[in-house]
Amino acid sequence: MRTYKRAAAVAASVVLLGSAAVAAGGTAAVAAPAAACTGSLYSIDGAGDWKVTDVSGTKPPTSASGQAQHLFPAGAAKIASRWNWGPDVAGSSYSGYVVLGSTLNQSVYSYSEETGQWEHNLTKIADGWDKFTMVEESFVSSTRNARYGLRNDGVLFRWTSGWNTVASAPGFAGVKAMTLISQTASYDTFLATTKAGALQTIRIPTTAPLKPVVKTVRGSTWQGFETLVADKCGTGTLLTAIDRDTNSAYVYSIGHATGTTTPITNLGKLSTSFADPVYSRFSTDDDLPLAGE
């Protein structure tokens, strides 16, 4: 279960989900409860309001959403990176990257414990991002982080040293959705669905030039999902997969990725509608690096 500080609770009214208890057989003793993995989705709706939805990896899965907060112009948000909360010098802040119209911005929503006020700052990064279908940041430590973008012609980009050093690789025009599932000192890994129905891992070593390594996890039936949000579940992944045609979401428990031998359990469909235009992962400074591959 995540631990949220006071400022986070004030901003998002995040409802944390309980764990599922598992009873052992026999009459002499009962095993300690086993906590289900949990994930958190950040979303922006058509009015420009954002909220956090917690997902519990029980079977069937459940979800609960915090109170929506207005932050962006109506209809402007297209895609977003993870939305991260952490303490800072004055209090705490939420931050991430968001494409508004055709412009990529860094969004920082900060709270001052001294004044009790919230302030929103947008910093323009670049134009031309209406051609991109994904933006993400992988932060492993103060010495290694990278930003990623997938352009609609299938070119995958990686920026390091802030946004100063860029590398790219073509060949990903078939990708429908992708989400970060692994962060290490030597590589990042994304999980992706394709238009042809495959579920794949895309490992991106930190070395230059950019040479992604693609492995098939499943060869078919995954084409219905246009949005993926992954959270850490031990050395595997809790995946929320959203079908935009029906605004429905399904939750999967995925073991440590090993290609076609990767174990996958369908935990079921969430009962609520997932109709917001933008979904990404919600994280905190306390979260450990993703370890799905």
Side-chain angles (χ1 to χ4, degrees):
M1 182 179 290
R2 296 179 185 276
T3 301
Y4 290 90
K5 305 260 194 272
R6 180 181 60 184
V10 170
S13 300
V14 176
V15 178
L16 297 183
L17 304 177
S19 60
V22 178
T27 57
V30 176
C37 289
T38 60
S40 293
L41 283 66
Y42 162 68
S43 66
I44 306 172
D45 66 18
D49 299 341
W50 71 274
K51 67 176 181 290
V52 174
T53 299
D54 283 342
V55 174
S56 178
T58 52
K59 191 171 185 178
T62 60
S63 65
S65 296
Q67 181 180 346
Q69 306 286 323
H70 186 71
L71 209 58
F72 305 104
K78 307 303 180 185
I79 54 174
S81 71
R82 68 166 186 156
W83 184 240
N84 187 74
W85 175 84
D88 56 29
V89 175
S92 62
S93 62
Y94 297 89
S95 62
Y97 295 98
V98 59
V99 174
L100 301 175
S102 62
T103 303
L104 175 66
N105 304 271
Q106 184 180 35
S107 173
V108 179
Y109 188 44
S110 56
Y111 175 77
S112 169
E113 292 185 350
E114 181 177 352
T115 66
Q117 299 296 312
W118 288 91
E119 181 178 339
H120 185 217
N121 290 301
L122 281 174
T123 302
K124 179 180 176 180
I125 304 298
D127 290 320
W129 275 77
D130 54 322
K131 299 179 178 67
F132 282 75
T133 60
M134 181 276 290
V135 59
E136 187 55 281
E137 178 182 34
S138 175
F139 186 89
V140 177
S141 68
S142 59
T143 59
R144 191 187 90 69
N145 65 72
R147 286 93 176 184
Y148 297 92
L150 179 64
R151 202 166 60 192
N152 57 13
D153 61 357
V155 179
L156 180 64
F157 292 86
R158 178 185 66 198
W159 289 267
T160 52
S161 303
W163 294 91
N164 297 312
T165 303
V166 62
S168 63
F172 296 93
V175 170
K176 289 192 74 172
M178 56 194 300
T179 183
L180 190 67
I181 64 165
S182 203
Q183 303 161 288
T184 76
S186 57
Y187 64 87
D188 291 314
T189 301
F190 286 83
L191 187 69
T193 56
T194 72
K195 298 171 185 176
L199 183 67
Q200 300 175 332
T201 54
I202 304 172
R203 177 186 285 204
I204 307 173
T206 58
T207 52
L210 184 65
K211 292 185 177 180
V213 178
V214 178
K215 291 183 179 180
T216 297
V217 177
R218 296 292 187 270
S220 61
T221 74
W222 287 82
Q223 66 274 11
F225 298 120
E226 293 86 4
T227 299
L228 305 176
V229 179
D231 261 279
K232 180 180 172 67
C233 186
T235 59
T237 298
L238 184 72
L239 179 71
T240 303
I242 301 173
D243 181 344
R244 292 290 190 175
D245 295 330
T246 61
N247 295 330
S248 56
Y250 296 79
V251 181
Y252 297 86
S253 175
I254 302 179
H256 196 73
T258 53
T260 56
T261 59
T262 305
I264 299 178
T265 301
N266 184 350
L267 299 177
K269 179 182 176 182
L270 290 168
S271 60
T272 55
S273 175
F274 286 76
D276 291 344
V278 176
Y279 286 93
S280 61
R281 177 177 173 240
F282 177 75
S283 63
T284 79
D285 280 358
D286 294 332
D287 290 349
L288 295 173
L290 299 167
E293 194 242 14

